[in-house]
Amino acid sequence: MALPQDLKYSEDHEWVKADGNTVTIGITDFAQGELGDIVFVELPEEGDEMTKGESFGSVESVKTVSELYAPLNGKIVEVNEELEDSPELVNESPYEDAWMVKVELEDTSQLDSLLNADAYAEITDA
């Protein structure tokens, strides 16, 4: 399982990459592996507000539909439109091509509540 050390992680299996007060969010390699072949990704609209702990979309695989839970509060400033036509990117490239949303944070101190790679590995037994 790939687990980039430079990212932060949520217990709900989202990864977060910070760049100033903007973060990029996707689902982890562990999550996509558990879901199996991804066939559909539903994402919010640009300009929508994201509230920590609430659903901001879903990922559908051949096995199940799984909600995406916001790891932070903020405003969605960009959505990865490519996933609409190519949901399989989530399986092929969870940390690069399959980012889901970019979010402008209300408060960057929220990042402190996320897990580092070692702590995330512990909860996934990786």
PDB file of all heavy atoms in Angstrom, residues 67-83:
ATOM      1  N   GLU A  67     -19.531   6.799   1.081  1.00  0.00           N
ATOM      2  CA  GLU A  67     -19.567   8.258   1.240  1.00  0.00           C
ATOM      3  C   GLU A  67     -18.146   8.794   1.406  1.00  0.00           C
ATOM      4  O   GLU A  67     -17.270   8.117   1.958  1.00  0.00           O
ATOM      5  CB  GLU A  67     -20.388   8.644   2.476  1.00  0.00           C
ATOM      6  CG  GLU A  67     -21.849   8.296   2.386  1.00  0.00           C
ATOM      7  CD  GLU A  67     -22.604   9.131   1.374  1.00  0.00           C
ATOM      8  OE1 GLU A  67     -22.356  10.340   1.260  1.00  0.00           O
ATOM      9  OE2 GLU A  67     -23.457   8.554   0.675  1.00  0.00           O
ATOM     10  N   LEU A  68     -17.939  10.024   0.957  1.00  0.00           N
ATOM     11  CA  LEU A  68     -16.694  10.746   1.189  1.00  0.00           C
ATOM     12  C   LEU A  68     -16.973  11.738   2.312  1.00  0.00           C
ATOM     13  O   LEU A  68     -17.949  12.491   2.235  1.00  0.00           O
ATOM     14  CB  LEU A  68     -16.280  11.503  -0.071  1.00  0.00           C
ATOM     15  CG  LEU A  68     -16.032  10.646  -1.312  1.00  0.00           C
ATOM     16  CD1 LEU A  68     -15.905  11.532  -2.545  1.00  0.00           C
ATOM     17  CD2 LEU A  68     -14.779   9.801  -1.121  1.00  0.00           C
ATOM     18  N   TYR A  69     -16.146  11.735   3.342  1.00  0.00           N
ATOM     19  CA  TYR A  69     -16.376  12.619   4.488  1.00  0.00           C
ATOM     20  C   TYR A  69     -15.315  13.712   4.540  1.00  0.00           C
ATOM     21  O   TYR A  69     -14.122  13.435   4.436  1.00  0.00           O
ATOM     22  CB  TYR A  69     -16.390  11.819   5.793  1.00  0.00           C
ATOM     23  CG  TYR A  69     -17.580  10.902   5.859  1.00  0.00           C
ATOM     24  CD1 TYR A  69     -17.461   9.551   5.579  1.00  0.00           C
ATOM     25  CD2 TYR A  69     -18.844  11.405   6.157  1.00  0.00           C
ATOM     26  CE1 TYR A  69     -18.572   8.707   5.615  1.00  0.00           C
ATOM     27  CE2 TYR A  69     -19.957  10.578   6.191  1.00  0.00           C
ATOM     28  CZ  TYR A  69     -19.810   9.234   5.920  1.00  0.00           C
ATOM     29  OH  TYR A  69     -20.912   8.408   5.944  1.00  0.00           O
ATOM     30  N   ALA A  70     -15.783  14.929   4.712  1.00  0.00           N
ATOM     31  CA  ALA A  70     -14.895  16.089   4.736  1.00  0.00           C
ATOM     32  C   ALA A  70     -13.947  16.017   5.934  1.00  0.00           C
ATOM     33  O   ALA A  70     -14.409  15.932   7.069  1.00  0.00           O
ATOM     34  CB  ALA A  70     -15.712  17.372   4.785  1.00  0.00           C
ATOM     35  N   PRO A  71     -12.647  16.065   5.687  1.00  0.00           N
ATOM     36  CA  PRO A  71     -11.696  16.050   6.801  1.00  0.00           C
ATOM     37  C   PRO A  71     -11.500  17.436   7.424  1.00  0.00           C
ATOM     38  O   PRO A  71     -10.924  17.547   8.505  1.00  0.00           O
ATOM     39  CB  PRO A  71     -10.407  15.549   6.151  1.00  0.00           C
ATOM     40  CG  PRO A  71     -10.527  15.943   4.718  1.00  0.00           C
ATOM     41  CD  PRO A  71     -11.991  15.924   4.395  1.00  0.00           C
ATOM     42  N   LEU A  72     -11.986  18.486   6.752  1.00  0.00           N
ATOM     43  CA  LEU A  72     -11.765  19.866   7.178  1.00  0.00           C
ATOM     44  C   LEU A  72     -12.939  20.747   6.766  1.00  0.00           C
ATOM     45  O   LEU A  72     -13.738  20.360   5.913  1.00  0.00           O
ATOM     46  CB  LEU A  72     -10.486  20.418   6.516  1.00  0.00           C
ATOM     47  CG  LEU A  72      -9.215  19.595   6.700  1.00  0.00           C
ATOM     48  CD1 LEU A  72      -8.192  19.980   5.656  1.00  0.00           C
ATOM     49  CD2 LEU A  72      -8.661  19.791   8.083  1.00  0.00           C
ATOM     50  N   ASN A  73     -13.002  21.948   7.315  1.00  0.00           N
ATOM     51  CA  ASN A  73     -13.990  22.945   6.905  1.00  0.00           C
ATOM     52  C   ASN A  73     -13.380  23.860   5.850  1.00  0.00           C
ATOM     53  O   ASN A  73     -12.211  24.242   5.968  1.00  0.00           O
ATOM     54  CB  ASN A  73     -14.403  23.824   8.093  1.00  0.00           C
ATOM     55  CG  ASN A  73     -15.107  23.047   9.178  1.00  0.00           C
ATOM     56  OD1 ASN A  73     -15.867  22.138   8.911  1.00  0.00           O
ATOM     57  ND2 ASN A  73     -14.836  23.403  10.411  1.00  0.00           N
ATOM     58  N   GLY A  74     -14.168  24.228   4.853  1.00  0.00           N
ATOM     59  CA  GLY A  74     -13.682  25.172   3.862  1.00  0.00           C
ATOM     60  C   GLY A  74     -14.597  25.283   2.666  1.00  0.00           C
ATOM     61  O   GLY A  74     -15.672  24.682   2.629  1.00  0.00           O
ATOM     62  N   LYS A  75     -14.142  26.069   1.696  1.00  0.00           N
ATOM     63  CA  LYS A  75     -14.914  26.301   0.476  1.00  0.00           C
ATOM     64  C   LYS A  75     -14.219  25.587  -0.692  1.00  0.00           C
ATOM     65  O   LYS A  75     -13.017  25.721  -0.887  1.00  0.00           O
ATOM     66  CB  LYS A  75     -14.973  27.804   0.191  1.00  0.00           C
ATOM     67  CG  LYS A  75     -15.755  28.160  -1.045  1.00  0.00           C
ATOM     68  CD  LYS A  75     -15.766  29.662  -1.236  1.00  0.00           C
ATOM     69  CE  LYS A  75     -16.531  30.039  -2.500  1.00  0.00           C
ATOM     70  NZ  LYS A  75     -16.509  31.495  -2.693  1.00  0.00           N
ATOM     71  N   ILE A  76     -15.001  24.849  -1.460  1.00  0.00           N
ATOM     72  CA  ILE A  76     -14.454  24.111  -2.601  1.00  0.00           C
ATOM     73  C   ILE A  76     -14.141  25.103  -3.720  1.00  0.00           C
ATOM     74  O   ILE A  76     -15.020  25.827  -4.183  1.00  0.00           O
ATOM     75  CB  ILE A  76     -15.420  23.011  -3.051  1.00  0.00           C
ATOM     76  CG1 ILE A  76     -15.549  21.995  -1.913  1.00  0.00           C
ATOM     77  CG2 ILE A  76     -14.942  22.351  -4.339  1.00  0.00           C
ATOM     78  CD1 ILE A  76     -16.652  21.025  -2.038  1.00  0.00           C
ATOM     79  N   VAL A  77     -12.869  25.124  -4.126  1.00  0.00           N
ATOM     80  CA  VAL A  77     -12.439  26.072  -5.150  1.00  0.00           C
ATOM     81  C   VAL A  77     -12.151  25.389  -6.488  1.00  0.00           C
ATOM     82  O   VAL A  77     -12.041  26.056  -7.516  1.00  0.00           O
ATOM     83  CB  VAL A  77     -11.206  26.899  -4.697  1.00  0.00           C
ATOM     84  CG1 VAL A  77     -11.590  27.812  -3.543  1.00  0.00           C
ATOM     85  CG2 VAL A  77     -10.039  26.011  -4.319  1.00  0.00           C
ATOM     86  N   GLU A  78     -12.032  24.053  -6.469  1.00  0.00           N
ATOM     87  CA  GLU A  78     -11.818  23.315  -7.713  1.00  0.00           C
ATOM     88  C   GLU A  78     -12.254  21.869  -7.520  1.00  0.00           C
ATOM     89  O   GLU A  78     -12.090  21.304  -6.441  1.00  0.00           O
ATOM     90  CB  GLU A  78     -10.335  23.370  -8.117  1.00  0.00           C
ATOM     91  CG  GLU A  78     -10.051  22.872  -9.509  1.00  0.00           C
ATOM     92  CD  GLU A  78      -8.587  23.044  -9.921  1.00  0.00           C
ATOM     93  OE1 GLU A  78      -7.847  23.803  -9.274  1.00  0.00           O
ATOM     94  OE2 GLU A  78      -8.200  22.379 -10.892  1.00  0.00           O
ATOM     95  N   VAL A  79     -12.833  21.283  -8.573  1.00  0.00           N
ATOM     96  CA  VAL A  79     -13.279  19.895  -8.570  1.00  0.00           C
ATOM     97  C   VAL A  79     -12.594  19.179  -9.726  1.00  0.00           C
ATOM     98  O   VAL A  79     -12.466  19.738 -10.816  1.00  0.00           O
ATOM     99  CB  VAL A  79     -14.827  19.816  -8.729  1.00  0.00           C
ATOM    100  CG1 VAL A  79     -15.295  18.379  -8.820  1.00  0.00           C
ATOM    101  CG2 VAL A  79     -15.515  20.523  -7.577  1.00  0.00           C
ATOM    102  N   ASN A  80     -12.136  17.959  -9.485  1.00  0.00           N
ATOM    103  CA  ASN A  80     -11.469  17.188 -10.532  1.00  0.00           C
ATOM    104  C   ASN A  80     -12.513  16.611 -11.489  1.00  0.00           C
ATOM    105  O   ASN A  80     -13.038  15.528 -11.283  1.00  0.00           O
ATOM    106  CB  ASN A  80     -10.623  16.074  -9.923  1.00  0.00           C
ATOM    107  CG  ASN A  80      -9.768  15.362 -10.948  1.00  0.00           C
ATOM    108  OD1 ASN A  80      -9.935  15.523 -12.144  1.00  0.00           O
ATOM    109  ND2 ASN A  80      -8.833  14.556 -10.466  1.00  0.00           N
ATOM    110  N   GLU A  81     -12.804  17.368 -12.546  1.00  0.00           N
ATOM    111  CA  GLU A  81     -13.818  16.974 -13.529  1.00  0.00           C
ATOM    112  C   GLU A  81     -13.437  15.699 -14.288  1.00  0.00           C
ATOM    113  O   GLU A  81     -14.296  14.989 -14.797  1.00  0.00           O
ATOM    114  CB  GLU A  81     -14.043  18.111 -14.538  1.00  0.00           C
ATOM    115  CG  GLU A  81     -14.414  19.447 -13.920  1.00  0.00           C
ATOM    116  CD  GLU A  81     -15.834  19.505 -13.395  1.00  0.00           C
ATOM    117  OE1 GLU A  81     -16.619  18.596 -13.714  1.00  0.00           O
ATOM    118  OE2 GLU A  81     -16.141  20.455 -12.659  1.00  0.00           O
ATOM    119  N   GLU A  82     -12.146  15.404 -14.348  1.00  0.00           N
ATOM    120  CA  GLU A  82     -11.679  14.232 -15.088  1.00  0.00           C
ATOM    121  C   GLU A  82     -12.236  12.926 -14.505  1.00  0.00           C
ATOM    122  O   GLU A  82     -12.431  11.944 -15.229  1.00  0.00           O
ATOM    123  CB  GLU A  82     -10.146  14.196 -15.081  1.00  0.00           C
ATOM    124  CG  GLU A  82      -9.568  13.234 -16.079  1.00  0.00           C
ATOM    125  CD  GLU A  82      -8.057  13.350 -16.197  1.00  0.00           C
ATOM    126  OE1 GLU A  82      -7.473  14.297 -15.671  1.00  0.00           O
ATOM    127  OE2 GLU A  82      -7.487  12.451 -16.837  1.00  0.00           O
ATOM    128  N   LEU A  83     -12.552  12.923 -13.217  1.00  0.00           N
ATOM    129  CA  LEU A  83     -13.069  11.702 -12.584  1.00  0.00           C
ATOM    130  C   LEU A  83     -14.470  11.341 -13.060  1.00  0.00           C
ATOM    131  O   LEU A  83     -14.877  10.191 -12.960  1.00  0.00           O
ATOM    132  CB  LEU A  83     -13.056  11.850 -11.060  1.00  0.00           C
ATOM    133  CG  LEU A  83     -11.674  11.983 -10.424  1.00  0.00           C
ATOM    134  CD1 LEU A  83     -11.807  12.136  -8.919  1.00  0.00           C
ATOM    135  CD2 LEU A  83     -10.777  10.823 -10.785  1.00  0.00           C
TER     136      LEU A  83
END
